[in-house]
Amino acid sequence: MLEVEAIEAGYGPVRVLRGLGFSVGIGEILCLTGRNGAGKTTALRAVMGLLPLTAGQVRLGGTVVSGLPAHRVPRLGLGYVPQGRRLFGPMTVAENLEIGLQARGGRPPRGRQGALAHALARFPRLRERLGQRADTLSGGEQQMLAIARALCLEPRVLLLDEPTEGLQPSMIAAIRDVVKGLKDEGVAVVLVEQRIEAILSVADRVAFVEGGRVRETVAAAALGADPALLAARLGV
Amino acid sequence: MQFGPHLVLALIEGAVLSAVLALMASGLSLVFGVMRVVNVAHGEFFMLGAVTAWFVAAGTGGGPAIAFAAALVVAPLAVGTLAALADGLVLKRIAYDPERTIVATIGLLYILQQATLMTFGPAARPVEPPFNRRIALPWIGQTDEGWGLIWPWGLSVTTYKLFVIAAAVVVLVLLRRGLGRTRAGLLMRATQIDRETALAFGIPVGRVYALTFGLGAGLAALAGVLVVPLQQAHYLMGGDALLLSFITVIIGGLGSLGGTLAAAVLIGMSEGIISVFFSPTLAKIAATLLVAFVLVFRPQGLSGGPPR
């Protein structure tokens, strides 16, 4: 579904990604993990077209998306939950969801109202908060809104950047269930995560990012059988 | 004239100035808020509005009302389109870099000013108001039969000045509603809050910027059209308007439309009152001092958030 091939990108003269590549298929959850500064968040930004590539290619369902204007990328079915949520804080919950809906660009299958209802069905609590300013929500509710906003565009591939960061265990479990539900619906998920339990509970494969490239990709089942291997890879 | 009627006259002048300033400064505030561009050429869009109004009025038959109505539609549209083109040709090419856009808009200022001098000439030219009936205003004072309504000589307002105030209020209400309730307004607010996330959700930020720059310039041009029957069109008229707009936007809080409107009323009223009772120069000094105090004691302005 999503193929990232030897991409290179950075900030000004600093090269962060040095030939990073991975792929994720329909209904698969790939976890990108690694130490801070390894290039995980930069990789997601580059895939979304928010950072220009200096080399490599990104393909979505066989269509080359790298090089397209950034605002056209989500319309092809690429959803993004950025690190730190990046909600439109002074706007209401309903307006944040509207931003997600307008990004659909009229793509099937559910239609506008269907997409909204489907997104809200996963987070019923948001339905009670539609008129509330996003920046007045609790941390967990903000994360729900960030995910619901991305789901409004009915993504074929969803990129999630540390969605459980700073959340209480019940909220982490709720988000894990949503991610598993997406997998069951055939959505491909790329999850940036550093918490070992979170990785092992949802991922199908784990890609270790180091120095701007994927050093190794391992089946999560193999890591689950030997958690020490994962801890050693993450250096914890 | 007694103090009371004199004060009423000053308040009317202040209200007219507030109305024009609110339109002008809203455009500047919108451009800064959404694009983070300090548009030094904003005053020239005001001037172009007034000059275009003169050209349209001169070229339109059918009396001053029709000519003015045509100017009211054509000038903001033409100037807004010109600004949107300037956005694509200049600002987009320098990636909206804050420092370089200041230099670029200074260049734009001189290009527009000198092009106007070459085509419109150095003379100040009037545009006839569409209507200008004088309405006498009453005051309460001593009459032969005790306290009652009197009609002091000189206490009056023209219908055109009332129209300027009403037109500005209508446009600003529409602007606020447009930003709050339309899809274009939603996209502009999202871009203002977080440009990168807006892009990640399919918002064509480049087009939003062109629309914002055009809308800001259109508001300045509309202010220019409204003002030209009161003070004539001149190729250098943008300077003072720009200074007052900057003062208003700084006092109101950079990028805050509500704060800008409140500051426009404050500056317009104080300028009107000080100009009538003392001198226009003193009014400018007072406004400049006020902005200095704001920068020292409340740099985020009246309604801006805490400094980042």
Side-chain angles (χ1 to χ4, degrees):
Chain A
M1 178 59 75
L2 177 71
E3 293 158 290
V4 178
E5 244 174 40
I7 58 172
E8 295 189 6
Y11 305 94
V14 182
R15 210 152 58 97
V16 178
L17 303 182
R18 300 161 183 266
L20 181 138
F22 61 82
S23 68
V24 59
I26 295 171
E28 186 185 22
I29 300 176
L30 172 74
C31 184
L32 293 185
T33 193
R35 294 177 184 179
N36 289 336
K40 307 180 296 292
T41 294
T42 303
L44 296 196
R45 292 185 67 221
V47 169
M48 288 302 296
L50 300 172
L51 212 55
L53 301 185
T54 51
Q57 198 177 62
V58 178
R59 287 192 301 273
L60 178 65
T63 308
V64 176
V65 298
S66 43
L68 288 178
H71 73 270
R72 285 179 57 191
V73 173
R75 292 182 192 281
L76 299 171
L78 209 48
Y80 182 39
V81 180
Q83 189 177 28
R85 297 146 200 161
R86 304 277 292 260
L87 294 172
F88 299 107
M91 290 187 182
T92 64
V93 170
E95 286 175 327
N96 271 275
L97 296 172
E98 177 60 36
I99 293 288
L101 285 171
Q102 61 81 39
R104 294 172 64 250
R107 280 186 306 109
R110 288 192 179 87
R112 192 186 154 76
Q113 286 308 316
L116 178 61
H118 195 66
L120 285 175
R122 296 183 189 281
F123 303 107
R125 203 188 299 184
L126 291 179
R127 202 179 280 281
E128 303 156 18
R129 306 256 193 277
L130 288 174
Q132 194 172 328
R133 267 176 67 131
D135 54 9
T136 63
L137 298 174
S138 69
E141 289 169 342
Q142 289 192 8
Q143 190 63 64
M144 287 179 189
L145 178 56
I147 297 173
R149 179 180 63 177
L151 294 183
C152 275
L153 67 89
E154 295 186 273
R156 292 191 284 167
V157 178
L158 183 64
L159 311 182
L160 288 152
D161 197 348
E162 305 217 25
T164 60
E165 191 180 24
L167 298 184
Q168 59 189 30
S170 63
M171 197 58 69
I172 292 172
I175 288 171
R176 184 189 59 214
D177 292 344
V178 168
V179 173
K180 284 181 173 174
L182 290 172
K183 170 187 164 76
D184 294 341
E185 287 182 11
V187 176
V189 177
V190 179
L191 174 68
V192 167
E193 185 58 77
Q194 295 202 74
R195 296 174 54 258
I196 292 173
E197 318 85 72
I199 294 169
L200 293 178
S201 64
V202 294
D204 293 313
R205 286 185 299 133
V206 180
F208 294 93
V209 181
E210 196 177 294
R213 58 171 66 97
V214 173
R215 199 183 63 176
E216 186 182 11
T217 303
V218 184
L223 293 171
D226 185 5
L229 180 65
L230 178 58
R233 291 278 188 278
L234 290 174
V236 293
Chain B
M1 194 186 288
Q2 292 174 312
F3 175 76
H6 210 170
L7 181 63
V8 172
L9 276 184
L11 290 175
I12 291 170
E13 289 307 314
V16 172
L17 184 58
S18 296
V20 173
L21 198 51
L23 281 177
M24 181 77 193
S26 294
L28 191 64
S29 177
L30 197 65
V31 167
F32 180 79
V34 176
M35 304 169 67
R36 300 284 144 188
V37 166
V38 177
N39 180 17
V40 184
H42 195 67
E44 303 319 302
F45 294 134
F46 169 78
M47 176 273 289
L48 279 182
V51 167
T52 309
W54 182 85
F55 276 116
V56 172
T60 310
I66 292 175
F68 187 78
L72 217 45
V73 174
V74 171
L77 282 178
V79 174
T81 307
L82 178 74
L85 285 174
D87 168 73
L89 289 172
V90 182
L91 303 182
K92 190 176 179 182
R93 286 167 192 268
I94 51 175
Y96 302 98
D97 174 75
E99 284 85 19
R100 287 193 291 167
T101 50
I102 291 177
V103 178
T105 54
I106 290 173
L108 194 58
L109 179 158
Y110 283 115
I111 291 169
L112 296 176
Q113 201 175 77
Q114 295 307 307
T116 307
L117 176 63
M118 287 160 63
T119 51
F120 180 75
R125 298 166 199 243
V127 169
E128 202 177 333
F131 39 79
N132 207 25
R133 201 161 65 81
R134 191 164 286 280
I135 301 170
L137 297 174
W139 187 250
I140 296 169
Q142 278 284 2
T143 64
D144 295 341
E145 295 147 13
W147 286 94
L149 285 183
I150 57 172
W151 300 87
W153 184 85
L155 180 57
S156 62
V157 61
T158 63
T159 48
Y160 183 72
K161 285 185 178 175
L162 292 178
F163 168 74
V164 170
I165 297 168
V169 169
V170 168
V171 169
L172 291 168
V173 167
L174 287 177
L175 177 68
R176 286 208 77 149
R177 288 195 170 205
L179 287 175
R181 299 185 187 180
T182 65
R183 183 173 181 271
L186 182 76
L187 303 190
M188 281 168 85
R189 284 186 292 135
T191 305
Q192 173 171 5
I193 296 164
D194 188 337
R195 179 185 180 275
E196 183 175 295
T197 307
L199 272 174
F201 281 87
I203 296 177
V205 166
R207 263 180 269 163
V208 171
Y209 279 3
L211 174 72
T212 304
F213 204 62
L215 181 60
L219 285 168
L222 181 64
V225 178
L226 289 173
V227 102
V228 73
L230 300 173
Q231 69 170 49
Q232 305 194 355
H234 186 258
Y235 82 105
L236 290 176
M237 71 190 287
D240 268 3
L242 178 70
L243 176 68
L244 276 179
S245 299
F246 268 130
I247 287 173
T248 304
V249 170
I250 291 168
I251 291 175
L254 289 170
S256 158
L257 202 55
T260 299
L261 298 182
V265 173
L266 180 72
I267 296 291
M269 284 298 182
S270 60
E271 175 113 357
I273 292 169
I274 297 172
S275 295
V276 168
F277 283 100
F278 302 100
S279 79
T281 308
L282 192 62
K284 294 271 184 312
I285 293 172
T288 314
L289 273 177
L290 184 59
V291 87
F293 278 117
V294 166
L295 286 173
V296 171
F297 295 109
R298 196 176 161 84
Q300 72 270 35
L302 293 178
S303 67
R308 280 178 286 185

mmCIF file of all heavy atoms in Angstrom, chain A residues 95-123:
data_model
loop_
_atom_site.group_PDB
_atom_site.id
_atom_site.type_symbol
_atom_site.label_atom_id
_atom_site.label_comp_id
_atom_site.label_asym_id
_atom_site.label_seq_id
_atom_site.Cartn_x
_atom_site.Cartn_y
_atom_site.Cartn_z
ATOM 1 N N GLU A 95 -15.150 21.993 14.406
ATOM 2 C CA GLU A 95 -14.366 22.636 13.337
ATOM 3 C C GLU A 95 -13.103 21.833 13.022
ATOM 4 O O GLU A 95 -12.704 21.728 11.858
ATOM 5 C CB GLU A 95 -14.016 24.064 13.743
ATOM 6 C CG GLU A 95 -15.204 25.009 13.669
ATOM 7 C CD GLU A 95 -14.891 26.408 14.180
ATOM 8 O OE1 GLU A 95 -14.064 26.548 15.109
ATOM 9 O OE2 GLU A 95 -15.488 27.369 13.676
ATOM 10 N N ASN A 96 -12.484 21.268 14.056
ATOM 11 C CA ASN A 96 -11.312 20.416 13.811
ATOM 12 C C ASN A 96 -11.682 19.211 12.954
ATOM 13 O O ASN A 96 -10.950 18.841 12.040
ATOM 14 C CB ASN A 96 -10.706 19.951 15.138
ATOM 15 C CG ASN A 96 -9.662 20.916 15.676
ATOM 16 O OD1 ASN A 96 -8.500 20.854 15.302
ATOM 17 N ND2 ASN A 96 -10.085 21.843 16.515
ATOM 18 N N LEU A 97 -12.851 18.622 13.266
ATOM 19 C CA LEU A 97 -13.295 17.475 12.465
ATOM 20 C C LEU A 97 -13.636 17.911 11.039
ATOM 21 O O LEU A 97 -13.383 17.177 10.075
ATOM 22 C CB LEU A 97 -14.503 16.814 13.134
ATOM 23 C CG LEU A 97 -14.226 16.192 14.516
ATOM 24 C CD1 LEU A 97 -15.525 15.746 15.166
ATOM 25 C CD2 LEU A 97 -13.267 15.012 14.386
ATOM 26 N N GLU A 98 -14.170 19.111 10.919
ATOM 27 C CA GLU A 98 -14.509 19.639 9.594
ATOM 28 C C GLU A 98 -13.246 19.773 8.731
ATOM 29 O O GLU A 98 -13.272 19.517 7.520
ATOM 30 C CB GLU A 98 -15.193 21.000 9.761
ATOM 31 C CG GLU A 98 -15.563 21.726 8.477
ATOM 32 C CD GLU A 98 -16.532 20.938 7.610
ATOM 33 O OE1 GLU A 98 -17.403 20.272 8.188
ATOM 34 O OE2 GLU A 98 -16.395 20.989 6.360
ATOM 35 N N ILE A 99 -12.148 20.150 9.375
ATOM 36 C CA ILE A 99 -10.872 20.250 8.650
ATOM 37 C C ILE A 99 -10.493 18.868 8.087
ATOM 38 O O ILE A 99 -10.028 18.741 6.955
ATOM 39 C CB ILE A 99 -9.748 20.773 9.584
ATOM 40 C CG1 ILE A 99 -10.021 22.224 9.999
ATOM 41 C CG2 ILE A 99 -8.376 20.655 8.916
ATOM 42 C CD1 ILE A 99 -9.833 23.254 8.938
ATOM 43 N N GLY A 100 -10.707 17.839 8.898
ATOM 44 C CA GLY A 100 -10.433 16.480 8.421
ATOM 45 C C GLY A 100 -11.365 16.090 7.286
ATOM 46 O O GLY A 100 -10.941 15.487 6.291
ATOM 47 N N LEU A 101 -12.636 16.458 7.420
ATOM 48 C CA LEU A 101 -13.629 16.077 6.398
ATOM 49 C C LEU A 101 -13.328 16.730 5.045
ATOM 50 O O LEU A 101 -13.444 16.091 3.997
ATOM 51 C CB LEU A 101 -15.033 16.484 6.854
ATOM 52 C CG LEU A 101 -15.660 15.630 7.942
ATOM 53 C CD1 LEU A 101 -16.935 16.277 8.455
ATOM 54 C CD2 LEU A 101 -15.960 14.233 7.411
ATOM 55 N N GLN A 102 -12.936 18.018 5.103
ATOM 56 C CA GLN A 102 -12.691 18.695 3.826
ATOM 57 C C GLN A 102 -11.444 18.134 3.128
ATOM 58 O O GLN A 102 -11.297 18.287 1.915
ATOM 59 C CB GLN A 102 -12.619 20.218 3.991
ATOM 60 C CG GLN A 102 -11.508 20.749 4.891
ATOM 61 C CD GLN A 102 -10.180 20.825 4.191
ATOM 62 O OE1 GLN A 102 -10.118 21.191 3.024
ATOM 63 N NE2 GLN A 102 -9.111 20.472 4.892
ATOM 64 N N ALA A 103 -10.591 17.462 3.900
ATOM 65 C CA ALA A 103 -9.385 16.880 3.294
ATOM 66 C C ALA A 103 -9.703 15.615 2.491
ATOM 67 O O ALA A 103 -8.853 15.109 1.762
ATOM 68 C CB ALA A 103 -8.348 16.562 4.385
ATOM 69 N N ARG A 104 -10.927 15.094 2.637
ATOM 70 C CA ARG A 104 -11.294 13.875 1.901
ATOM 71 C C ARG A 104 -11.295 14.123 0.400
ATOM 72 O O ARG A 104 -11.034 13.221 -0.392
ATOM 73 C CB ARG A 104 -12.692 13.394 2.303
ATOM 74 C CG ARG A 104 -12.805 12.934 3.722
ATOM 75 C CD ARG A 104 -14.240 12.669 4.100
ATOM 76 N NE ARG A 104 -14.787 11.586 3.326
ATOM 77 C CZ ARG A 104 -15.713 11.724 2.388
ATOM 78 N NH1 ARG A 104 -16.197 12.900 2.112
ATOM 79 N NH2 ARG A 104 -16.163 10.689 1.728
ATOM 80 N N GLY A 105 -11.674 15.363 0.021
ATOM 81 C CA GLY A 105 -11.712 15.679 -1.408
ATOM 82 C C GLY A 105 -12.752 14.849 -2.149
ATOM 83 O O GLY A 105 -12.592 14.539 -3.316
ATOM 84 N N GLY A 106 -13.824 14.434 -1.474
ATOM 85 C CA GLY A 106 -14.925 13.726 -2.142
ATOM 86 C C GLY A 106 -14.654 12.260 -2.420
ATOM 87 O O GLY A 106 -15.342 11.624 -3.200
ATOM 88 N N ARG A 107 -13.617 11.690 -1.747
ATOM 89 C CA ARG A 107 -13.322 10.281 -2.001
ATOM 90 C C ARG A 107 -14.393 9.380 -1.398
ATOM 91 O O ARG A 107 -14.925 9.662 -0.340
ATOM 92 C CB ARG A 107 -11.958 9.914 -1.410
ATOM 93 C CG ARG A 107 -10.795 10.338 -2.280
ATOM 94 C CD ARG A 107 -9.488 9.828 -1.716
ATOM 95 N NE ARG A 107 -9.292 10.208 -0.330
ATOM 96 C CZ ARG A 107 -9.356 9.371 0.668
ATOM 97 N NH1 ARG A 107 -9.616 8.109 0.467
ATOM 98 N NH2 ARG A 107 -9.152 9.781 1.900
ATOM 99 N N PRO A 108 -14.716 8.269 -2.045
ATOM 100 C CA PRO A 108 -15.604 7.293 -1.440
ATOM 101 C C PRO A 108 -14.849 6.623 -0.277
ATOM 102 O O PRO A 108 -13.661 6.909 -0.083
ATOM 103 C CB PRO A 108 -15.887 6.313 -2.578
ATOM 104 C CG PRO A 108 -14.743 6.473 -3.514
ATOM 105 C CD PRO A 108 -14.201 7.856 -3.333
ATOM 106 N N PRO A 109 -15.395 5.707 0.513
ATOM 107 C CA PRO A 109 -16.679 5.071 0.242
ATOM 108 C C PRO A 109 -17.848 5.655 1.034
ATOM 109 O O PRO A 109 -18.994 5.487 0.645
ATOM 110 C CB PRO A 109 -16.430 3.635 0.708
ATOM 111 C CG PRO A 109 -15.456 3.774 1.831
ATOM 112 C CD PRO A 109 -14.607 4.980 1.521
ATOM 113 N N ARG A 110 -17.617 6.315 2.184
ATOM 114 C CA ARG A 110 -18.743 6.564 3.083
ATOM 115 C C ARG A 110 -19.478 7.865 2.816
ATOM 116 O O ARG A 110 -20.581 8.045 3.272
ATOM 117 C CB ARG A 110 -18.247 6.581 4.531
ATOM 118 C CG ARG A 110 -17.870 5.213 5.035
ATOM 119 C CD ARG A 110 -17.672 5.206 6.527
ATOM 120 N NE ARG A 110 -17.327 3.870 6.962
ATOM 121 C CZ ARG A 110 -16.084 3.416 6.993
ATOM 122 N NH1 ARG A 110 -15.089 4.186 6.650
ATOM 123 N NH2 ARG A 110 -15.839 2.179 7.378
ATOM 124 N N GLY A 111 -18.861 8.796 2.170
ATOM 125 C CA GLY A 111 -19.490 10.110 2.059
ATOM 126 C C GLY A 111 -19.210 10.896 3.320
ATOM 127 O O GLY A 111 -18.785 10.352 4.340
ATOM 128 N N ARG A 112 -19.499 12.157 3.233
ATOM 129 C CA ARG A 112 -19.114 13.092 4.276
ATOM 130 C C ARG A 112 -19.727 12.765 5.638
ATOM 131 O O ARG A 112 -19.020 12.611 6.637
ATOM 132 C CB ARG A 112 -19.581 14.462 3.790
ATOM 133 C CG ARG A 112 -19.101 15.609 4.507
ATOM 134 C CD ARG A 112 -19.811 16.830 3.939
ATOM 135 N NE ARG A 112 -19.866 17.837 4.945
ATOM 136 C CZ ARG A 112 -18.818 18.573 5.272
ATOM 137 N NH1 ARG A 112 -17.687 18.443 4.625
ATOM 138 N NH2 ARG A 112 -18.897 19.462 6.229
ATOM 139 N N GLN A 113 -21.047 12.645 5.682
ATOM 140 C CA GLN A 113 -21.710 12.390 6.960
ATOM 141 C C GLN A 113 -21.335 11.005 7.496
ATOM 142 O O GLN A 113 -21.161 10.822 8.700
ATOM 143 C CB GLN A 113 -23.232 12.497 6.795
ATOM 144 C CG GLN A 113 -23.724 13.939 6.644
ATOM 145 C CD GLN A 113 -23.212 14.854 7.753
ATOM 146 O OE1 GLN A 113 -23.213 14.489 8.926
ATOM 147 N NE2 GLN A 113 -22.734 16.021 7.377
ATOM 148 N N GLY A 114 -21.206 10.058 6.586
ATOM 149 C CA GLY A 114 -20.822 8.707 6.983
ATOM 150 C C GLY A 114 -19.437 8.696 7.598
ATOM 151 O O GLY A 114 -19.199 8.023 8.613
ATOM 152 N N ALA A 115 -18.537 9.433 7.005
ATOM 153 C CA ALA A 115 -17.155 9.485 7.510
ATOM 154 C C ALA A 115 -17.119 10.101 8.898
ATOM 155 O O ALA A 115 -16.415 9.622 9.792
ATOM 156 C CB ALA A 115 -16.286 10.296 6.540
ATOM 157 N N LEU A 116 -17.903 11.168 9.084
ATOM 158 C CA LEU A 116 -17.945 11.834 10.392
ATOM 159 C C LEU A 116 -18.530 10.880 11.437
ATOM 160 O O LEU A 116 -17.983 10.733 12.544
ATOM 161 C CB LEU A 116 -18.782 13.117 10.298
ATOM 162 C CG LEU A 116 -18.949 13.899 11.600
ATOM 163 C CD1 LEU A 116 -17.599 14.364 12.130
ATOM 164 C CD2 LEU A 116 -19.866 15.101 11.402
ATOM 165 N N ALA A 117 -19.652 10.238 11.088
ATOM 166 C CA ALA A 117 -20.300 9.320 12.030
ATOM 167 C C ALA A 117 -19.359 8.169 12.383
ATOM 168 O O ALA A 117 -19.265 7.759 13.548
ATOM 169 C CB ALA A 117 -21.591 8.790 11.419
ATOM 170 N N HIS A 118 -18.635 7.663 11.392
ATOM 171 C CA HIS A 118 -17.723 6.544 11.607
ATOM 172 C C HIS A 118 -16.585 6.958 12.540
ATOM 173 O O HIS A 118 -16.192 6.184 13.432
ATOM 174 C CB HIS A 118 -17.166 6.087 10.259
ATOM 175 C CG HIS A 118 -16.521 4.747 10.316
ATOM 176 N ND1 HIS A 118 -17.222 3.589 10.575
ATOM 177 C CD2 HIS A 118 -15.224 4.371 10.158
ATOM 178 C CE1 HIS A 118 -16.384 2.566 10.573
ATOM 179 N NE2 HIS A 118 -15.166 3.019 10.328
ATOM 180 N N ALA A 119 -16.073 8.173 12.334
ATOM 181 C CA ALA A 119 -14.972 8.656 13.185
ATOM 182 C C ALA A 119 -15.471 8.864 14.611
ATOM 183 O O ALA A 119 -14.789 8.502 15.584
ATOM 184 C CB ALA A 119 -14.395 9.946 12.616
ATOM 185 N N LEU A 120 -16.668 9.443 14.748
ATOM 186 C CA LEU A 120 -17.182 9.722 16.091
ATOM 187 C C LEU A 120 -17.610 8.446 16.814
ATOM 188 O O LEU A 120 -17.609 8.401 18.041
ATOM 189 C CB LEU A 120 -18.367 10.696 16.010
ATOM 190 C CG LEU A 120 -17.994 12.159 15.734
ATOM 191 C CD1 LEU A 120 -19.245 13.007 15.543
ATOM 192 C CD2 LEU A 120 -17.146 12.735 16.865
ATOM 193 N N ALA A 121 -17.980 7.418 16.045
ATOM 194 C CA ALA A 121 -18.382 6.164 16.677
ATOM 195 C C ALA A 121 -17.220 5.564 17.464
ATOM 196 O O ALA A 121 -17.423 4.857 18.454
ATOM 197 C CB ALA A 121 -18.857 5.183 15.607
ATOM 198 N N ARG A 122 -16.012 5.842 17.027
ATOM 199 C CA ARG A 122 -14.834 5.313 17.746
ATOM 200 C C ARG A 122 -14.563 6.096 19.026
ATOM 201 O O ARG A 122 -13.939 5.578 19.945
ATOM 202 C CB ARG A 122 -13.605 5.382 16.850
ATOM 203 C CG ARG A 122 -13.708 4.509 15.624
ATOM 204 C CD ARG A 122 -12.417 4.589 14.841
ATOM 205 N NE ARG A 122 -12.560 3.934 13.554
ATOM 206 C CZ ARG A 122 -12.512 2.615 13.389
ATOM 207 N NH1 ARG A 122 -12.305 1.841 14.423
ATOM 208 N NH2 ARG A 122 -12.669 2.104 12.184
ATOM 209 N N PHE A 123 -14.962 7.359 19.020
ATOM 210 C CA PHE A 123 -14.714 8.211 20.197
ATOM 211 C C PHE A 123 -16.013 8.912 20.594
ATOM 212 O O PHE A 123 -16.166 10.114 20.363
ATOM 213 C CB PHE A 123 -13.638 9.248 19.869
ATOM 214 C CG PHE A 123 -12.339 8.667 19.414
ATOM 215 C CD1 PHE A 123 -11.956 8.750 18.082
ATOM 216 C CD2 PHE A 123 -11.490 8.043 20.321
ATOM 217 C CE1 PHE A 123 -10.753 8.220 17.654
ATOM 218 C CE2 PHE A 123 -10.284 7.510 19.892
ATOM 219 C CZ PHE A 123 -9.907 7.585 18.559
#
